[in-house]
Amino acid sequence: MSNKPAYSIADQISLLKQRGMLFRDEGNAPHFLGNISYYRLKGYWWDTQNDFTNHTFHARTYFEDIIDRYNFDRHLRLILFDAIERIEIALRTKMIYHLSMTYGGLWYLETSLFNSSTITVNGITKTVHQNTIEELQKEFNRSQEIFIKDHRYRYPNQNADAWKILEVASMGTLSKLYKNLKHQLPEKSAIAKEMGLNLHSELSSWLEAITYVRNIIAHHSRLWSRNMVKRPTENINNPTGQWFVNPLTQVQTKKPFLIISCMVYLCNEVTPGHQIKTKILDLFNNNPNIPIYKLGFLNNWKNEPLWK
């Protein structure tokens, strides 16, 4: 049955012990389970089970090691959120600048600049561009930024210039807007090149994957040992920056490793001198007992130019 009885914290600890989990200091366990839910921690001990039906654990599986995994993942997500901020702001800035300089401040409304592909939402078929603009307008309408509230007050029912409205656009909306631009627009290629990629399709692929991770992080969800639903293009055309010289394994591409590598690459291009890679490597060095191969960091990854 999908519905099960609720367990007290004492019962949760008892159940874990019955299944073979060990505790170095059981007295601390109620504190952790009182502040981090049992079900949330389950994602960090799932691979330590030797029987996925009865949920029994491998020998020497310690509760404290699970907490270490949880804290490691939390710290990694904080580092990556810093990277995503840099990438998102750079993308926003470049889209606003290049497209506004050529087509004016309302370029985002010009249907002639976008592909005419369609999407069906709630039974209604519309262009992808129209759907994205509707999402953008919703973000604008609910924004409480002072400059947006000022615009709504001073210029009611008047469209805001790109440098206003895109400042409150989510990364997902920015990514969709960029991807839907007509491929032959020189500005689309210019933005990709300034971010270190020679093909706009590569940047679109990376942005989709990074947006996916951004949403995981924003909801405080688990990156640890997760298979990525969105996977960025691995083979990029004549990269201007340091990338991989050896093909990646399937595990490296389906785990967070590839997307994290894309973030480091983009940060190298848009914020030289950043400390993202250093912080990640320091986190790894400070947690030598964490099996980082669960994130796809394996197969001699340290010797790749990007990670040296």
Side-chain angles (χ1 to χ4, degrees):
M1 294 178 65
S2 61
N3 297 111
K4 300 177 181 179
Y7 276 42
S8 68
I9 288 175
D11 287 341
Q12 292 172 23
I13 294 170
S14 177
L15 180 62
L16 289 173
K17 290 169 69 175
Q18 289 173 28
R19 292 174 172 177
M21 184 172 283
L22 303 174
F23 294 79
R24 293 190 179 93
D25 188 345
E26 190 176 328
N28 288 329
H31 165 77
F32 289 111
L33 288 168
N35 291 282
I36 310 167
S37 76
Y38 179 100
Y39 203 79
R40 184 178 182 83
L41 287 174
K42 188 176 184 178
Y44 296 88
W45 71 53
W46 187 256
D47 64 306
T48 67
Q49 298 174 115
N50 58 21
D51 185 328
F52 292 97
T53 301
N54 296 312
H55 303 297
T56 53
F57 295 101
H58 288 293
R60 300 189 62 76
T61 298
Y62 282 90
F63 180 79
E64 288 79 7
D65 293 339
I66 304 305
I67 296 299
D68 287 343
R69 287 183 174 194
Y70 176 84
N71 285 326
F72 171 90
D73 191 52
R74 184 171 61 85
H75 288 299
L76 177 62
R77 284 185 275 115
L78 290 172
I79 296 169
L80 296 181
F81 204 70
D82 180 5
I84 293 167
E85 177 187 351
R86 296 165 188 263
I87 295 164
E88 181 177 334
I89 290 174
L91 172 68
R92 178 182 287 119
T93 300
K94 295 177 190 303
M95 288 179 67
I96 291 171
Y97 180 76
H98 286 290
L99 291 156
S100 297
M101 289 297 292
T102 306
Y103 307 107
L106 297 179
W107 60 265
Y108 64 94
L109 296 173
E110 294 292 336
T111 56
S112 61
L113 300 180
F114 296 88
N115 295 316
S116 58
S117 53
T118 59
I119 186 173
T120 300
V121 181
N122 297 325
I124 300 173
T125 300
K126 59 186 80 172
T127 65
V128 171
H129 173 243
Q130 181 184 354
N131 189 63
T132 305
I133 294 305
E134 288 173 4
E135 291 178 9
L136 178 61
Q137 191 62 50
K138 288 176 184 176
E139 291 166 347
F140 177 83
N141 290 343
R142 65 173 174 256
S143 174
Q144 295 301 306
E145 290 283 356
I146 291 175
F147 67 94
I148 297 295
K149 292 169 72 174
D150 179 67
H151 177 94
R152 292 196 299 249
Y153 175 75
R154 295 173 62 191
Y155 311 106
N157 303 315
Q158 185 172 326
N159 292 312
D161 288 309
W163 46 87
K164 283 185 183 179
I165 194 168
L166 291 193
E167 278 296 328
V168 295
S170 67
M171 186 167 183
T173 298
L174 291 172
S175 174
K176 291 173 187 173
L177 207 58
Y178 177 81
K179 183 179 182 179
N180 195 236
L181 285 166
K182 284 187 173 176
H183 300 334
Q184 62 266 37
L185 290 181
E187 294 79 15
K188 190 172 187 179
S189 295
I191 292 165
K193 288 186 184 302
E194 287 189 10
M195 298 191 77
L197 299 170
N198 288 309
L199 298 176
H200 59 74
S201 57
E202 294 170 351
L203 180 57
S204 290
S205 168
W206 285 24
L207 293 176
E208 283 188 73
I210 293 170
T211 299
Y212 164 68
V213 170
R214 185 207 177 282
N215 292 338
I216 290 173
I217 294 172
H219 290 92
H220 316 298
S221 298
R222 172 180 56 87
L223 271 183
W224 175 260
S225 194
R226 192 181 193 123
N227 290 335
M228 300 287 97
V229 172
K230 295 285 186 180
R231 300 179 190 179
T233 298
E234 163 196 351
N235 300 313
I236 58 176
N237 179 53
N238 192 26
T240 57
Q242 294 178 322
W243 189 234
F244 296 108
V245 296
N246 297 303
L248 301 184
T249 66
Q250 184 180 8
V251 172
Q252 287 176 306
T253 58
K254 75 177 183 179
K255 294 296 183 183
F257 174 75
L258 176 56
I259 298 181
I260 293 173
S261 297
C262 293
M263 292 185 202
V264 171
Y265 181 95
L266 291 175
C267 284
N268 288 345
E269 299 299 317
V270 302
T271 56
H274 69 87
Q275 297 297 306
I276 303 298
K277 180 170 75 172
T278 299
K279 290 178 180 178
I280 292 172
L281 296 177
D282 285 347
L283 180 65
F284 290 177
N285 291 331
N286 292 333
N287 293 273
N289 296 323
I290 297 293
I292 58 173
Y293 69 87
K294 297 283 186 181
L295 293 162
F297 285 82
L298 44 75
N299 196 34
N300 214 25
W301 64 274
K302 278 187 177 180
N303 290 325
E304 291 290 350
L306 177 71
W307 287 101
K308 275 188 176 178

